[in-house]
Coordinates of all heavy atoms in Angstrom, one line a residue:
S1 N 0.9 -1.2 0.0 CA 0.0 0.0 0.0 C 0.9 1.2 0.1 O 2.0 1.2 0.4 CB -0.9 0.0 1.2 OG -0.3 0.3 2.3
S2 N 0.3 2.3 -0.3 CA 1.0 3.6 -0.4 C 1.5 4.1 1.0 O 2.6 4.5 1.2 CB 0.1 4.8 -1.0 OG -0.1 4.4 -2.3
A3 N 0.7 3.6 2.0 CA 1.0 4.1 3.4 C 2.3 3.3 3.8 O 3.2 3.8 4.4 CB -0.1 3.8 4.4
T4 N 2.4 2.0 3.5 CA 3.5 1.3 3.8 C 4.7 1.7 3.0 O 5.8 1.9 3.6 CB 3.2 -0.3 3.3 OG1 2.1 -0.7 4.0 CG2 4.5 -1.2 3.7
A5 N 4.5 2.1 1.7 CA 5.7 2.5 0.8 C 6.3 3.7 1.5 O 7.5 3.9 1.3 CB 5.1 2.8 -0.6
M6 N 5.5 4.7 2.1 CA 6.1 5.9 2.6 C 7.1 5.8 3.7 O 7.8 6.7 4.0 CB 5.0 6.9 3.0 CG 4.0 7.2 1.9 SD 4.9 7.7 0.4 CE 4.5 9.5 0.4
R7 N 7.2 4.6 4.3 CA 8.2 4.4 5.4 C 9.5 3.8 4.8 O 10.4 3.5 5.6 CB 7.6 3.4 6.3 CG 6.3 4.0 7.1 CD 6.0 3.0 8.2 NE 5.6 1.7 7.7 CZ 4.4 1.2 7.8 NH1 3.5 1.9 8.4 NH2 4.1 0.0 7.3
H8 N 9.6 3.6 3.5 CA 10.8 3.0 2.9 C 11.6 3.9 2.0 O 10.9 4.8 1.3 CB 10.3 1.7 2.1 CG 9.8 0.7 3.0 ND1 10.6 -0.1 3.8 CD2 8.5 0.3 3.2 CE1 9.8 -0.9 4.5 NE2 8.5 -0.7 4.2
P9 N 12.8 3.7 1.6 CA 13.5 4.4 0.6 C 12.7 4.0 -0.7 O 12.2 3.0 -0.9 CB 14.9 3.8 0.6 CG 15.1 3.1 1.9 CD 13.7 2.7 2.4
G10 N 12.7 5.0 -1.6 CA 12.1 4.7 -2.9 C 10.6 4.8 -2.8 O 9.8 4.4 -3.7
S11 N 10.1 5.5 -1.7 CA 8.6 5.6 -1.6 C 7.9 6.3 -2.6 O 6.7 6.0 -2.9 CB 8.3 6.3 -0.2 OG 8.9 7.5 -0.1
G12 N 8.5 7.3 -3.2 CA 7.9 8.1 -4.4 C 7.6 7.1 -5.5 O 6.5 7.2 -6.1
V13 N 8.5 6.3 -5.9 CA 8.4 5.3 -6.9 C 7.2 4.4 -6.6 O 6.3 4.1 -7.4 CB 9.6 4.6 -7.3 CG1 9.4 3.5 -8.4 CG2 10.7 5.6 -7.9
Q14 N 7.3 3.9 -5.4 CA 6.3 3.0 -5.0 C 4.9 3.6 -4.9 O 3.9 3.0 -5.3 CB 6.5 2.4 -3.7 CG 5.7 1.3 -3.2 CD 5.8 0.0 -4.1 OE1 6.8 -0.3 -4.4 NE2 4.7 -0.5 -4.5
C15 N 4.8 4.8 -4.5 CA 3.6 5.6 -4.5 C 3.0 5.6 -5.9 O 1.7 5.4 -6.1 CB 3.7 6.9 -3.9 SG 2.2 7.9 -3.8
L16 N 3.9 6.0 -6.9 CA 3.4 6.1 -8.3 C 2.9 4.8 -8.8 O 1.9 4.7 -9.5 CB 4.5 6.6 -9.2 CG 4.8 8.1 -9.1 CD1 6.1 8.4 -9.8 CD2 3.6 9.0 -9.4
K17 N 3.5 3.7 -8.5 CA 3.1 2.4 -8.9 C 1.8 1.9 -8.4 O 0.9 1.5 -9.0 CB 4.3 1.3 -8.5 CG 5.5 1.4 -9.3 CD 6.7 0.7 -8.8 CE 6.4 -0.7 -8.5 NZ 7.7 -1.5 -8.0
D18 N 1.7 2.4 -7.0 CA 0.4 2.0 -6.4 C -0.8 2.8 -6.9 O -1.9 2.4 -6.9 CB 0.6 2.3 -4.9 CG 1.4 1.3 -4.2 OD1 1.7 0.2 -4.8 OD2 1.8 1.6 -3.0
S19 N -0.5 4.0 -7.4 CA -1.5 4.9 -7.7 C -1.7 5.1 -9.2 O -2.4 5.9 -9.8 CB -1.3 6.4 -7.2 OG -1.2 6.3 -5.8
K20 N -1.0 4.2 -10.0 CA -1.0 4.4 -11.5 C -2.3 4.3 -12.2 O -2.6 5.0 -13.1 CB -0.1 3.3 -12.2 CG -0.6 1.9 -12.1 CD 0.3 0.9 -12.7 CE -0.2 -0.5 -12.8 NZ -0.8 -1.0 -11.5
D21 N -3.3 3.7 -11.6 CA -4.6 3.6 -12.2 C -5.4 4.9 -12.0 O -6.4 5.1 -12.7 CB -5.5 2.5 -11.6 CG -4.9 1.1 -12.0 OD1 -4.3 0.9 -13.1 OD2 -5.1 0.1 -11.2
E22 N -5.0 5.7 -11.1 CA -5.6 7.1 -10.9 C -5.0 8.2 -11.7 O -5.5 9.3 -11.8 CB -5.4 7.4 -9.3 CG -6.1 6.5 -8.5 CD -5.8 6.6 -7.0 OE1 -5.4 7.7 -6.6 OE2 -5.7 5.5 -6.3
V23 N -3.9 7.9 -12.4 CA -3.2 8.8 -13.3 C -3.9 8.9 -14.6 O -4.3 8.0 -15.1 CB -1.8 8.5 -13.5 CG1 -1.1 9.4 -14.5 CG2 -1.0 8.4 -12.1
T24 N -4.3 10.2 -14.9 CA -5.0 10.5 -16.2 C -4.2 10.8 -17.3 O -4.6 10.5 -18.5 CB -6.1 11.5 -15.9 OG1 -5.4 12.7 -15.5 CG2 -7.1 11.1 -14.8
S25 N -3.0 11.3 -17.1 CA -2.1 11.6 -18.3 C -1.5 10.5 -18.8 O -0.9 9.6 -18.2 CB -1.0 12.6 -17.8 OG 0.0 12.6 -18.7
D26 N -1.7 10.3 -20.2 CA -1.1 9.1 -20.9 C 0.5 9.2 -20.8 O 1.0 8.1 -20.7 CB -1.5 9.1 -22.4 CG -2.9 8.6 -22.5 OD1 -3.5 8.1 -21.6 OD2 -3.5 9.0 -23.6
T27 N 1.0 10.3 -20.9 CA 2.4 10.5 -20.8 C 2.9 10.0 -19.4 O 4.0 9.2 -19.3 CB 2.9 12.0 -20.9 OG1 2.5 12.4 -22.2 CG2 4.4 12.1 -20.9
C28 N 2.3 10.4 -18.3 CA 2.6 10.1 -17.0 C 2.4 8.5 -16.8 O 3.3 7.8 -16.2 CB 1.8 10.7 -15.9 SG 2.3 12.5 -15.8
K29 N 1.3 7.9 -17.3 CA 1.1 6.5 -17.2 C 2.2 5.8 -17.9 O 2.8 4.7 -17.3 CB -0.3 6.1 -17.9 CG -1.4 6.3 -16.9 CD -2.7 5.8 -17.5 CE -3.8 6.0 -16.6 NZ -5.0 5.5 -17.1
S30 N 2.7 6.3 -19.1 CA 3.7 5.6 -19.8 C 5.0 5.6 -19.1 O 5.8 4.6 -19.1 CB 3.9 6.3 -21.1 OG 2.8 6.1 -22.0
A31 N 5.3 6.7 -18.4 CA 6.5 6.8 -17.6 C 6.4 5.9 -16.4 O 7.5 5.2 -16.1 CB 6.8 8.3 -17.1
I32 N 5.4 5.8 -15.8 CA 5.2 4.9 -14.7 C 5.4 3.4 -15.1 O 6.1 2.7 -14.5 CB 3.8 5.0 -14.0 CG1 3.7 6.3 -13.3 CG2 3.6 3.9 -12.9 CD1 2.3 6.7 -12.8
L33 N 4.7 3.0 -16.2 CA 4.8 1.6 -16.8 C 6.3 1.3 -17.2 O 6.8 0.2 -17.0 CB 3.9 1.4 -17.9 CG 2.5 1.4 -17.4 CD1 1.5 1.4 -18.7 CD2 2.2 0.3 -16.5
E34 N 7.0 2.4 -17.7 CA 8.4 2.2 -18.1 C 9.3 1.9 -16.8 O 10.1 0.9 -16.8 CB 9.0 3.4 -18.7 CG 10.3 3.3 -19.2 CD 10.8 4.4 -20.0 OE1 10.0 5.1 -20.7 OE2 12.1 4.7 -20.1
V35 N 9.0 2.6 -15.7 CA 9.8 2.5 -14.5 C 9.4 1.0 -14.0 O 10.3 0.2 -13.5 CB 9.4 3.4 -13.4 CG1 9.9 3.0 -12.0 CG2 10.0 4.7 -13.8
M36 N 8.2 0.6 -13.9 CA 7.7 -0.7 -13.5 C 8.4 -1.8 -14.4 O 8.8 -2.9 -13.8 CB 6.2 -0.8 -13.6 CG 5.5 0.1 -12.5 SD 3.8 0.0 -12.6 CE 3.5 -1.6 -12.1
G37 N 8.5 -1.6 -15.7 CA 9.1 -2.6 -16.5 C 10.5 -2.8 -16.3 O 11.0 -3.8 -16.2
T38 N 11.2 -1.6 -16.0 CA 12.6 -1.7 -15.7 C 12.9 -2.4 -14.4 O 13.8 -3.3 -14.3 CB 13.2 -0.3 -15.6 OG1 13.0 0.4 -16.8 CG2 14.8 -0.4 -15.3
A39 N 12.0 -2.2 -13.5 CA 12.2 -2.9 -12.1 C 11.8 -4.4 -12.3 O 12.5 -5.1 -11.5 CB 11.2 -2.2 -11.1
S40 N 11.0 -4.7 -13.2 CA 10.7 -6.1 -13.4 C 11.8 -6.9 -14.0 O 11.9 -8.1 -13.9 CB 9.4 -6.3 -14.2 OG 9.6 -6.0 -15.5
E41 N 12.7 -6.3 -14.8 CA 13.9 -6.8 -15.3 C 14.9 -7.1 -14.3 O 15.7 -8.0 -14.4 CB 14.5 -5.9 -16.4 CG 13.6 -5.9 -17.6 CD 13.6 -7.2 -18.4 OE1 14.6 -7.7 -18.7 OE2 12.5 -7.6 -18.7
D42 N 15.0 -6.3 -13.2 CA 16.1 -6.4 -12.3 C 15.5 -6.0 -10.8 O 15.2 -4.8 -10.6 CB 17.2 -5.4 -12.6 CG 18.4 -5.6 -11.7 OD1 18.4 -6.2 -10.6 OD2 19.5 -5.1 -12.1
A43 N 15.4 -7.1 -10.0 CA 14.8 -6.9 -8.7 C 15.5 -5.8 -7.8 O 14.9 -5.1 -7.0 CB 14.7 -8.2 -8.0
R44 N 16.8 -5.6 -8.2 CA 17.5 -4.5 -7.4 C 17.0 -3.2 -7.6 O 17.2 -2.3 -6.8 CB 19.0 -4.6 -7.7 CG 19.6 -6.0 -7.4 CD 21.0 -6.1 -8.0 NE 21.1 -5.8 -9.4 CZ 22.2 -5.4 -10.0 NH1 23.3 -5.5 -9.4 NH2 22.0 -5.2 -11.4
L45 N 16.2 -2.9 -8.7 CA 15.8 -1.6 -9.0 C 14.4 -1.4 -8.4 O 13.9 -0.2 -8.6 CB 15.6 -1.4 -10.6 CG 17.1 -1.6 -11.3 CD1 16.8 -1.5 -12.8 CD2 18.0 -0.6 -10.8
D46 N 13.8 -2.2 -7.7 CA 12.6 -2.1 -7.0 C 13.0 -1.8 -5.6 O 13.4 -2.7 -4.8 CB 11.6 -3.3 -7.0 CG 10.4 -3.2 -6.3 OD1 10.3 -2.6 -5.2 OD2 9.4 -3.6 -6.9
P47 N 12.8 -0.5 -5.2 CA 13.4 -0.1 -3.8 C 12.7 -0.9 -2.6 O 13.5 -1.2 -1.7 CB 13.0 1.3 -3.7 CG 12.1 1.7 -4.7 CD 12.1 0.6 -5.8
I48 N 11.4 -1.1 -2.6 CA 10.9 -1.9 -1.6 C 11.3 -3.3 -1.6 O 11.6 -3.9 -0.5 CB 9.2 -1.8 -1.6 CG1 8.9 -0.3 -1.8 CG2 8.7 -2.5 -0.4 CD1 9.2 0.6 -0.5
L49 N 11.2 -4.0 -2.7 CA 11.7 -5.4 -2.9 C 13.1 -5.5 -2.5 O 13.4 -6.4 -1.7 CB 11.4 -5.9 -4.3 CG 11.7 -7.3 -4.5 CD1 10.8 -8.2 -3.8 CD2 11.7 -7.6 -6.0
S50 N 14.0 -4.7 -3.0 CA 15.4 -4.9 -2.7 C 15.8 -4.6 -1.3 O 16.6 -5.2 -0.6 CB 16.2 -3.9 -3.5 OG 16.0 -2.5 -3.3
S51 N 15.0 -3.7 -0.5 CA 15.1 -3.5 0.9 C 14.6 -4.8 1.6 O 15.3 -5.3 2.5 CB 14.3 -2.3 1.3 OG 14.4 -2.2 2.7
A52 N 13.5 -5.3 1.3 CA 12.9 -6.4 2.1 C 13.7 -7.7 1.7 O 13.8 -8.6 2.6 CB 11.5 -6.7 1.6
C53 N 14.4 -7.8 0.6 CA 14.9 -9.0 0.2 C 16.4 -8.9 0.0 O 17.1 -9.7 -0.7 CB 14.3 -9.5 -1.1 SG 12.5 -9.8 -1.0
A54 N 17.0 -8.0 0.8 CA 18.5 -7.8 0.5 C 19.3 -9.0 0.6 O 20.2 -9.3 -0.2 CB 19.0 -6.6 1.4
L55 N 19.1 -9.8 1.8 CA 19.9 -11.0 2.0 C 19.6 -12.0 1.0 O 20.5 -12.6 0.5 CB 19.6 -11.5 3.4 CG 20.2 -12.8 3.8 CD1 21.8 -12.6 3.8 CD2 19.8 -13.3 5.1
E56 N 18.3 -12.2 0.6 CA 17.9 -13.2 -0.4 C 18.5 -12.9 -1.8 O 18.9 -13.7 -2.5 CB 16.4 -13.4 -0.4 CG 15.9 -14.0 0.8 CD 15.6 -13.0 2.0 OE1 16.0 -11.8 1.9 OE2 15.1 -13.5 3.0
I57 N 18.4 -11.7 -2.1 CA 19.0 -11.1 -3.4 C 20.6 -11.5 -3.4 O 21.2 -11.9 -4.3 CB 18.7 -9.7 -3.7 CG1 17.3 -9.5 -4.1 CG2 19.6 -9.2 -4.8 CD1 16.9 -8.0 -4.2
R58 N 21.2 -11.2 -2.3 CA 22.7 -11.5 -2.1 C 22.8 -12.9 -2.3 O 23.8 -13.4 -3.0 CB 23.2 -11.0 -0.8 CG 24.6 -11.2 -0.7 CD 25.2 -10.7 0.6 NE 26.7 -10.8 0.8 CZ 27.3 -12.0 0.9 NH1 26.7 -13.1 1.1 NH2 28.6 -12.0 1.0
N59 N 22.0 -13.7 -1.7 CA 22.1 -15.3 -1.8 C 21.9 -15.7 -3.3 O 22.7 -16.5 -3.7 CB 21.2 -16.0 -0.9 CG 21.6 -15.9 0.6 OD1 22.8 -15.6 0.9 ND2 20.6 -16.2 1.4
C60 N 21.0 -15.0 -4.0 CA 20.8 -15.4 -5.3 C 22.1 -15.1 -6.2 O 22.4 -15.9 -7.1 CB 19.5 -14.6 -6.0 SG 17.9 -15.3 -5.4
T61 N 22.7 -14.0 -5.9 CA 23.8 -13.5 -6.7 C 25.0 -14.2 -6.3 O 25.9 -14.6 -7.2 CB 24.0 -12.0 -6.7 OG1 24.1 -11.6 -5.4 CG2 22.8 -11.3 -7.3
V62 N 25.2 -14.4 -5.1 CA 26.6 -14.9 -4.6 C 26.6 -16.5 -4.5 O 27.4 -17.2 -5.1 CB 27.0 -14.3 -3.2 CG1 28.3 -15.0 -2.7 CG2 27.2 -12.7 -3.3
V63 N 25.5 -16.9 -3.8 CA 25.5 -18.4 -3.6 C 25.0 -19.1 -4.8 O 25.7 -20.1 -5.3 CB 24.5 -18.8 -2.4 CG1 24.4 -20.3 -2.3 CG2 24.9 -18.1 -1.2
D64 N 23.9 -18.6 -5.5 CA 23.4 -19.3 -6.7 C 24.0 -18.9 -8.0 O 23.8 -19.3 -9.0 CB 21.9 -19.1 -6.7 CG 21.1 -19.7 -5.6 OD1 21.7 -20.5 -4.9 OD2 20.0 -19.3 -5.4
K65 N 24.9 -17.8 -7.8 CA 25.6 -17.2 -9.0 C 24.6 -16.8 -10.1 O 25.0 -16.9 -11.3 CB 26.7 -18.2 -9.4 CG 27.7 -18.5 -8.4 CD 28.8 -19.3 -8.9 CE 29.9 -19.7 -8.0 NZ 30.1 -19.1 -6.8
I66 N 23.6 -16.1 -9.8 CA 22.6 -15.6 -10.7 C 23.0 -14.2 -11.1 O 23.2 -13.3 -10.2 CB 21.1 -15.6 -10.1 CG1 20.7 -17.0 -9.6 CG2 20.1 -14.9 -11.0 CD1 20.5 -18.0 -10.7
A67 N 23.1 -14.0 -12.4 CA 23.4 -12.7 -12.9 C 22.2 -11.8 -12.9 O 21.1 -12.2 -13.3 CB 24.1 -12.7 -14.3
P68 N 22.3 -10.5 -12.4 CA 21.1 -9.7 -12.3 C 20.7 -9.3 -13.8 O 21.5 -9.4 -14.7 CB 21.6 -8.5 -11.6 CG 22.8 -8.9 -10.9 CD 23.4 -10.0 -11.6
G69 N 19.4 -9.0 -13.9 CA 18.9 -8.5 -15.2 C 18.0 -9.7 -15.8 O 18.1 -10.8 -15.4
Q70 N 17.3 -9.3 -16.7 CA 16.3 -10.2 -17.5 C 15.4 -11.0 -16.6 O 15.0 -12.1 -17.0 CB 17.0 -11.0 -18.5 CG 17.9 -10.2 -19.4 CD 18.6 -11.0 -20.4 OE1 19.1 -12.2 -20.1 NE2 19.0 -10.5 -21.6
G71 N 15.0 -10.4 -15.4 CA 14.1 -11.1 -14.5 C 14.7 -12.3 -13.8 O 14.0 -13.0 -13.1
R72 N 16.0 -12.6 -13.9 CA 16.5 -13.7 -13.2 C 16.6 -13.6 -11.7 O 16.3 -14.7 -11.0 CB 18.1 -13.9 -13.8 CG 18.1 -14.3 -15.1 CD 19.6 -14.6 -15.5 NE 20.3 -13.4 -15.6 CZ 20.6 -12.7 -16.8 NH1 20.2 -13.3 -17.9 NH2 21.3 -11.6 -16.7
L73 N 16.7 -12.4 -11.1 CA 16.5 -12.3 -9.7 C 15.2 -12.5 -9.2 O 14.9 -13.2 -8.2 CB 17.1 -11.0 -9.3 CG 18.6 -10.7 -9.3 CD1 19.0 -9.4 -8.8 CD2 19.3 -11.8 -8.5
H74 N 14.1 -12.0 -10.0 CA 12.8 -12.3 -9.6 C 12.5 -13.8 -9.6 O 11.9 -14.4 -8.8 CB 11.9 -11.6 -10.5 CG 11.7 -10.1 -10.3 ND1 11.1 -9.6 -9.3 CD2 12.1 -9.2 -11.1 CE1 11.1 -8.2 -9.3 NE2 11.8 -7.9 -10.5
E75 N 13.0 -14.4 -10.6 CA 12.9 -15.9 -10.8 C 13.5 -16.6 -9.6 O 12.9 -17.6 -9.1 CB 13.5 -16.3 -12.1 CG 13.1 -17.6 -12.6 CD 13.7 -17.9 -14.0 OE1 13.5 -17.2 -14.9 OE2 14.5 -18.9 -14.1
C76 N 14.7 -16.2 -9.2 CA 15.4 -16.8 -8.0 C 14.7 -16.6 -6.8 O 14.4 -17.5 -6.0 CB 16.7 -16.3 -7.9 SG 17.7 -16.9 -6.5
L77 N 14.0 -15.4 -6.6 CA 13.3 -15.1 -5.4 C 12.1 -16.0 -5.3 O 11.7 -16.4 -4.4 CB 12.9 -13.6 -5.3 CG 14.2 -12.7 -5.0 CD1 13.8 -11.2 -5.2 CD2 14.8 -13.0 -3.7
R78 N 11.4 -16.1 -6.6 CA 10.1 -16.9 -6.6 C 10.5 -18.4 -6.3 O 9.7 -19.1 -5.7 CB 9.5 -16.7 -7.9 CG 8.9 -15.4 -8.0 CD 8.2 -15.2 -9.3 NE 7.6 -13.8 -9.3 CZ 7.5 -13.0 -10.4 NH1 7.9 -13.4 -11.5 NH2 7.0 -11.8 -10.3
R79 N 11.6 -18.9 -6.8 CA 12.0 -20.3 -6.5 C 12.2 -20.5 -5.0 O 11.8 -21.4 -4.5 CB 13.2 -20.7 -7.3 CG 13.8 -22.2 -7.1 CD 15.0 -22.4 -7.9 NE 16.1 -21.4 -7.9 CZ 16.9 -21.2 -6.8 NH1 16.8 -22.0 -5.7 NH2 17.8 -20.4 -6.9
R80 N 13.0 -19.5 -4.4 CA 13.3 -19.6 -3.0 C 12.0 -19.4 -2.2 O 11.9 -20.1 -1.2 CB 14.3 -18.6 -2.6 CG 15.7 -18.8 -3.1 CD 16.7 -17.7 -2.8 NE 18.0 -18.2 -3.0 CZ 18.8 -18.7 -2.1 NH1 18.4 -18.8 -0.9 NH2 20.1 -19.0 -2.4
M81 N 11.0 -18.7 -2.7 CA 9.8 -18.7 -2.0 C 9.1 -20.0 -2.0 O 8.6 -20.5 -0.9 CB 8.9 -17.6 -2.6 CG 7.6 -17.4 -1.9 SD 6.5 -16.1 -2.6 CE 6.1 -16.9 -4.2
R82 N 9.0 -20.7 -3.2 CA 8.4 -21.9 -3.2 C 9.2 -23.0 -2.3 O 8.6 -23.9 -1.9 CB 8.5 -22.5 -4.7 CG 7.5 -21.8 -5.6 CD 7.4 -22.5 -7.0 NE 8.6 -22.5 -7.7 CZ 9.2 -21.6 -8.5 NH1 8.5 -20.5 -8.7 NH2 10.3 -21.8 -9.1
E83 N 10.5 -22.8 -2.3 CA 11.3 -23.6 -1.3 C 11.0 -23.4 0.2 O 11.5 -24.1 1.1 CB 12.7 -23.6 -1.7 CG 13.0 -24.1 -3.1 CD 14.4 -23.8 -3.5 OE1 15.2 -22.9 -2.8 OE2 14.9 -24.2 -4.6
G84 N 10.4 -22.2 0.5 CA 10.2 -21.8 1.8 C 11.3 -21.2 2.5 O 11.5 -21.2 3.7
T85 N 12.3 -20.6 1.7 CA 13.5 -20.0 2.4 C 13.5 -18.5 2.5 O 14.5 -18.0 3.0 CB 14.9 -20.5 1.6 OG1 14.7 -19.9 0.3 CG2 14.8 -22.0 1.5
L86 N 12.4 -17.8 2.2 CA 12.4 -16.4 2.1 C 11.9 -15.9 3.6 O 11.0 -16.6 4.1 CB 11.5 -15.8 1.2 CG 11.9 -16.0 -0.2 CD1 10.9 -15.2 -1.2 CD2 13.2 -15.5 -0.6
N87 N 12.3 -14.8 4.1 CA 11.8 -14.2 5.3 C 10.4 -13.7 5.0 O 10.1 -13.5 3.8 CB 12.7 -13.2 6.0 CG 12.7 -11.9 5.2 OD1 11.8 -11.2 4.9 ND2 14.0 -11.5 4.7
R88 N 9.6 -13.5 6.0 CA 8.2 -13.1 5.8 C 8.1 -11.8 5.0 O 7.3 -11.8 4.1 CB 7.5 -12.9 7.2 CG 6.1 -12.5 7.1 CD 5.5 -12.2 8.5 NE 6.2 -11.2 9.2 CZ 6.0 -9.9 9.0 NH1 5.1 -9.4 8.1 NH2 6.7 -8.9 9.7
R89 N 8.9 -10.7 5.3 CA 8.8 -9.5 4.7 C 9.1 -9.5 3.2 O 8.4 -9.0 2.4 CB 9.7 -8.5 5.3 CG 9.5 -7.0 4.9 CD 10.2 -6.2 5.9 NE 10.5 -4.9 5.2 CZ 11.8 -4.5 5.0 NH1 12.8 -5.2 5.4 NH2 12.0 -3.4 4.2
C90 N 10.1 -10.4 2.9 CA 10.6 -10.6 1.5 C 9.5 -11.4 0.8 O 9.1 -11.0 -0.3 CB 11.8 -11.4 1.5 SG 12.4 -11.7 -0.2
K91 N 8.9 -12.4 1.4 CA 7.8 -13.2 0.7 C 6.7 -12.3 0.4 O 6.1 -12.4 -0.7 CB 7.4 -14.2 1.7 CG 6.3 -15.1 1.1 CD 5.9 -16.3 2.0 CE 4.8 -17.1 1.4 NZ 4.3 -18.1 2.3
Q92 N 6.3 -11.4 1.3 CA 5.2 -10.5 1.1 C 5.5 -9.6 -0.1 O 4.6 -9.4 -1.0 CB 5.0 -9.6 2.2 CG 4.2 -10.3 3.5 CD 4.1 -9.4 4.7 OE1 5.0 -8.6 4.9 NE2 3.1 -9.7 5.5
Q93 N 6.7 -9.1 -0.3 CA 7.0 -8.3 -1.4 C 7.1 -9.0 -2.8 O 6.6 -8.6 -3.8 CB 8.4 -7.5 -1.2 CG 8.3 -6.3 -0.2 CD 7.1 -5.4 -0.6 OE1 6.1 -5.1 0.2 NE2 7.2 -4.8 -1.8
V94 N 7.6 -10.3 -2.7 CA 7.6 -11.1 -3.9 C 6.3 -11.4 -4.4 O 6.0 -11.2 -5.6 CB 8.4 -12.4 -3.6 CG1 8.3 -13.4 -4.8 CG2 10.0 -12.1 -3.4
L95 N 5.3 -11.7 -3.4 CA 3.9 -11.9 -3.8 C 3.3 -10.6 -4.3 O 2.5 -10.7 -5.3 CB 3.2 -12.4 -2.6 CG 3.5 -13.8 -2.2 CD1 2.8 -14.3 -0.8 CD2 3.1 -14.8 -3.2
S96 N 3.6 -9.4 -3.7 CA 3.1 -8.2 -4.2 C 3.5 -7.9 -5.6 O 2.8 -7.4 -6.5 CB 3.6 -7.0 -3.2 OG 3.1 -5.9 -3.7
V97 N 4.8 -8.1 -5.9 CA 5.3 -7.9 -7.3 C 4.6 -8.8 -8.4 O 4.3 -8.4 -9.4 CB 6.8 -8.0 -7.3 CG1 7.3 -8.1 -8.8 CG2 7.6 -6.9 -6.5
A98 N 4.5 -10.1 -7.9 CA 3.8 -11.0 -8.8 C 2.3 -10.6 -9.0 O 1.9 -10.7 -10.2 CB 3.9 -12.5 -8.2
K99 N 1.7 -10.2 -8.0 CA 0.3 -9.8 -8.2 C 0.3 -8.5 -9.2 O -0.6 -8.4 -10.0 CB -0.3 -9.4 -6.9 CG -1.8 -8.9 -7.0 CD -2.2 -8.5 -5.5 CE -3.6 -7.8 -5.7 NZ -3.8 -6.7 -4.7
S100 N 1.2 -7.6 -9.0 CA 1.2 -6.3 -9.9 C 1.5 -6.7 -11.3 O 0.9 -6.2 -12.3 CB 2.3 -5.4 -9.5 OG 1.9 -4.8 -8.1
E101 N 2.4 -7.7 -11.5 CA 2.7 -8.1 -12.9 C 1.5 -8.8 -13.5 O 1.2 -8.6 -14.7 CB 3.9 -9.1 -12.8 CG 5.2 -8.5 -12.6 CD 6.3 -9.4 -12.3 OE1 6.2 -10.6 -12.2 OE2 7.5 -8.8 -12.2
I102 N 0.7 -9.6 -12.7 CA -0.5 -10.2 -13.2 C -1.6 -9.2 -13.7 O -2.1 -9.2 -14.7 CB -1.1 -11.3 -12.3 CG1 -0.2 -12.4 -12.1 CG2 -2.5 -11.7 -12.7 CD1 -0.4 -13.4 -11.0
E103 N -1.8 -8.2 -12.7 CA -2.7 -7.1 -13.1 C -2.3 -6.2 -14.2 O -3.1 -5.9 -15.1 CB -2.8 -6.2 -11.7 CG -3.6 -6.9 -10.7 CD -3.5 -6.1 -9.3 OE1 -2.8 -5.0 -9.4 OE2 -4.2 -6.5 -8.4
D104 N -1.0 -6.0 -14.4 CA -0.5 -5.2 -15.6 C -0.6 -6.1 -16.9 O -0.6 -5.4 -18.0 CB 1.1 -4.8 -15.4 CG 1.2 -3.9 -14.3 OD1 0.3 -3.3 -13.9 OD2 2.3 -3.8 -13.7
A105 N -0.6 -7.3 -16.8 CA -0.7 -8.2 -18.0 C -2.1 -8.2 -18.6 O -2.3 -8.5 -19.8 CB -0.2 -9.6 -17.7
R106 N -3.1 -7.8 -17.7 CA -4.5 -7.9 -18.2 C -4.8 -6.7 -19.1 O -4.5 -5.8 -19.2 CB -5.5 -7.8 -16.9 CG -5.4 -9.0 -16.1 CD -6.3 -8.8 -14.9 NE -6.2 -10.0 -14.1 CZ -6.5 -10.1 -12.9 NH1 -7.1 -9.1 -12.3 NH2 -6.3 -11.1 -12.2

């Protein structure tokens, strides 16, 4: 939620993502979707996700040797979630990102 996002770094970006359906300007909507698309390519660019999942992202890159970009970190986080190895806060953010991606695909 926007209220939750305001307590974290990157809250402005998260607020825009949360409020994208209320934006009426096509130019602004396009800019928001571009930011969201960039973050979907690299989990480190999503400020809330990268904060909640810092240790897990490090494990993906160092332990699993996953190269960032092209959605590979998101894929690693989702795999780790299925394996039950994510902390609660990270799991919530991974699920939130997945939900947003499904809604954007509609």
Side-chain angles (χ1 to χ4, degrees):
S1 79
S2 295
T4 301
M6 296 314 254
R7 294 188 299 244
H8 296 281
S11 61
V13 172
Q14 188 64 40
C15 181
L16 287 171
K17 288 167 55 175
D18 291 346
S19 304
K20 72 182 179 312
D21 293 334
E22 299 166 31
V23 174
T24 57
S25 163
D26 289 340
T27 303
C28 289
K29 277 187 181 182
S30 293
I32 293 168
L33 291 174
E34 184 177 330
V35 167
M36 291 174 70
T38 301
S40 73
E41 289 289 312
D42 188 342
R44 299 172 306 164
L45 300 177
D46 181 318
I48 307 297
L49 180 71
S50 63
S51 173
C53 300
L55 177 62
E56 289 82 356
I57 289 172
R58 184 180 183 287
N59 287 338
C60 287
T61 58
V62 175
V63 177
D64 297 344
K65 299 188 183 341
I66 302 293
Q70 299 180 333
R72 289 184 290 259
L73 289 177
H74 285 290
E75 197 174 298
C76 179
L77 291 172
R78 288 177 181 148
R79 178 181 49 78
R80 287 176 170 269
M81 184 179 65
R82 288 190 302 273
E83 295 168 352
T85 61
L86 297 184
N87 70 58
R88 181 186 59 78
R89 192 167 152 243
C90 180
K91 180 180 178 182
Q92 287 175 330
Q93 283 308 123
V94 170
L95 289 171
S96 176
V97 168
K99 180 183 176 218
S100 292
E101 288 173 353
I102 290 168
E103 289 171 355
D104 292 340
R106 290 183 186 157

